[in-house]
Amino acid sequence: MSEVQIIENESNLPVPGKYSLDDVKSFFYLMNAKPDTSIQLLKGRKKVSIAEIRDLNERIQRKLENHDLIGQIASINLIFEKGKIQDYSTWAEFERETWHTINNKTEAISLTWDISIKLPKYQNPQRHTLKVRIGQAVSPKDMMELVFNSDNTSELFEKRADGVVKVDFIDQVIAGELIEKVTSWYDGLKKMPDDIGIQNLMEKNQDLIVGIVHNFTPILFLSIYHYYFTAFCNWSNLKTNLSIGNIQLLLISFITIFFIGSMFAKKFAKWTDKKIDDYKGLSPFEITKGDENAVHEAQISNSTITKQLLRKVGLTILSTIVAFGLRYLLTIWIK
């Protein structure tokens, strides 16, 4: 059986003062050690199209021309609806794609530039990795799981952001330049339009609206009950024939009406809350045919939800008017 001998001599030992801290960092990074990382969160929902993605790549390439570039690999990752993921290992493969034939809606896009740069103060080329992610990284359900299971606060902020640019670097100057290029590009994108009209009102005041529906509906039922009860007292001789039995009957009637109103209010409030949750935000991506269709479908769906909410409010108002008007007609008829 062969033995492996480790010969220890002065040639195996590091020479004091020969290697700087930057040289050591470079060596360990090349050996797959964890590099230094700089992260910038991108705020605000912006429209992103194929032309804008190409523009970002061109800006990165122009910036890299200012350095002694040894090599680079650009890869793109697209996350579509229903968990479908499309990877492009090179930029050429990304450019060859026929986007108008893809019917999936884009949820997020991730771009990575793996760059090797020769800097004057280093003996070997330095690896820098630029990563740009746009779109929601995780679903709200997965976000809640991440909140309870992750101890890394920066990871939570990163996952919640509309976009993130991250650079793994050896040279901090290069990292700052790349981040500045991406943030400048992102700031120049068109902003997503805010929701308008009834949808905007409903989404901004969802808790207030649901609370009013839940608490006001029983009061409305009791108001109608009281309105008819006073009329019944005037029509009959109940005022002059009060008894314990009649008082108990009135209390039972009052409690019954209140609970019926509460049950109806709970159901109505739950329906209203779900309908407001069903409002769809417009996709910020204009990449695939599916993105184009998703915008059209979201507009139709949101319009339908608004009509359903307004119809329900209209029916409630109309029913209240009919209830109060019917009592007036009954009073005239009895007289």
Side-chain angles (χ1 to χ4, degrees), residues 193-222:
D194 296 328
D195 298 328
I196 59 175
I198 300 297
Q199 179 179 348
N200 184 45
L201 177 66
M202 292 288 185
E203 290 178 332
K204 284 187 175 182
N205 303 282
Q206 181 173 355
D207 292 338
L208 177 62
I209 292 173
V210 173
I212 290 175
V213 170
H214 187 269
N215 296 305
F216 180 74
T217 303
I219 297 176
L220 179 61
F221 271 68
L222 291 177

Side-chain angles (χ1 to χ4, degrees), residues 2 33 35 42 52 66 85 136 167 178 182 185 243 269 273 302 304:
S2 61
L42 304 174
E52 300 293 355
N66 298 330
I85 299 175
Q136 186 67 29
V167 179
L178 293 174
V182 176
W185 167 81
S243 65
D273 192 36
N302 293 342
T304 302

Side-chain angles (χ1 to χ4, degrees), residues 67-92:
H67 302 280
D68 188 3
L69 181 65
I70 302 301
Q72 65 165 314
I73 298 176
S75 57
I76 302 91
N77 173 278
L78 281 84
I79 300 176
F80 297 114
E81 59 183 349
K82 300 179 181 179
K84 184 177 180 181
I85 299 175
Q86 190 80 20
D87 279 316
Y88 300 90
S89 58
T90 64
W91 193 268

Side-chain angles (χ1 to χ4, degrees), residues 46-276:
K46 303 293 185 75
K47 282 185 172 293
V48 180
S49 64
I50 287 293
E52 300 293 355
I53 295 174
R54 289 175 179 144
D55 177 50
L56 174 60
N57 183 57
E58 290 173 2
R59 295 190 187 202
I60 299 299
Q61 299 309 316
R62 287 197 297 268
K63 172 53 64 176
L64 294 178
E65 288 175 358
N66 298 330
H67 302 280
D68 188 3
L69 181 65
I70 302 301
Q72 65 165 314
I73 298 176
S75 57
I76 302 91
N77 173 278
L78 281 84
I79 300 176
F80 297 114
E81 59 183 349
K82 300 179 181 179
K84 184 177 180 181
I85 299 175
Q86 190 80 20
D87 279 316
Y88 300 90
S89 58
T90 64
W91 193 268
E93 291 296 328
F94 177 77
E95 291 286 7
R96 288 173 55 185
E97 183 62 81
T98 52
W99 300 106
H100 65 278
T101 63
I102 298 178
N103 295 322
N104 296 304
K105 175 187 173 184
T106 307
E107 298 288 349
I109 182 170
S110 178
L111 303 101
T112 302
W113 289 267
D114 202 339
I115 306 162
S116 182
I117 298 176
K118 179 68 173 64
L119 297 175
K121 60 180 179 179
Y122 296 100
Q123 182 178 359
N124 298 316
Q126 305 305 307
R127 182 186 180 190
H128 294 72
T129 304
L130 170 64
K131 299 178 181 179
V132 179
R133 191 264 300 164
I134 302 172
Q136 186 67 29
V138 295
S139 65
K141 178 182 177 181
D142 295 333
M143 178 62 70
M144 290 302 298
E145 182 177 350
L146 185 62
V147 168
F148 290 108
N149 295 332
S150 176
D151 296 328
N152 190 343
T153 305
S154 62
E155 183 181 4
L156 297 178
F157 281 107
E158 182 182 340
K159 296 297 184 183
R160 289 179 57 190
D162 296 305
V164 176
V165 52
K166 178 191 295 186
V167 179
D168 297 331
F169 65 92
I170 297 296
D171 185 82
Q172 193 170 10
V173 175
I174 298 292
E177 291 176 349
L178 293 174
I179 288 178
E180 190 278 330
K181 280 296 178 184
V182 176
T183 54
S184 176
W185 167 81
Y186 193 80
D187 291 339
L189 297 177
K190 293 181 180 179
K191 293 182 179 180
M192 288 293 296
D194 296 328
D195 298 328
I196 59 175
I198 300 297
Q199 179 179 348
N200 184 45
L201 177 66
M202 292 288 185
E203 290 178 332
K204 284 187 175 182
N205 303 282
Q206 181 173 355
D207 292 338
L208 177 62
I209 292 173
V210 173
I212 290 175
V213 170
H214 187 269
N215 296 305
F216 180 74
T217 303
I219 297 176
L220 179 61
F221 271 68
L222 291 177
S223 298
I224 296 175
Y225 167 76
H226 176 72
Y227 189 62
Y228 274 88
F229 177 74
T230 54
F232 178 74
C233 290
N234 294 329
W235 299 338
S236 64
N237 59 352
L238 182 62
K239 290 181 179 180
T240 60
N241 293 318
L242 285 177
S243 65
I244 295 178
N246 289 335
I247 294 174
Q248 290 178 337
L249 179 61
L250 293 176
L251 290 175
I252 292 173
S253 301
F254 179 87
I255 294 173
T256 301
I257 295 298
F258 175 79
F259 276 103
I260 291 175
S262 297
M263 292 172 57
F264 187 87
K266 183 178 180 180
K267 184 177 180 180
F268 190 17
K270 184 178 180 180
W271 179 87
T272 303
D273 192 36
K274 183 179 182 303
K275 282 298 177 182
I276 297 176

Side-chain angles (χ1 to χ4, degrees), residues 227-236 323-335:
Y227 189 62
Y228 274 88
F229 177 74
T230 54
F232 178 74
C233 290
N234 294 329
W235 299 338
S236 64
F324 281 93
L326 183 60
R327 185 260 197 186
Y328 176 75
L329 294 176
L330 287 174
T331 301
I332 295 177
W333 179 73
I334 291 175
K335 288 183 178 180

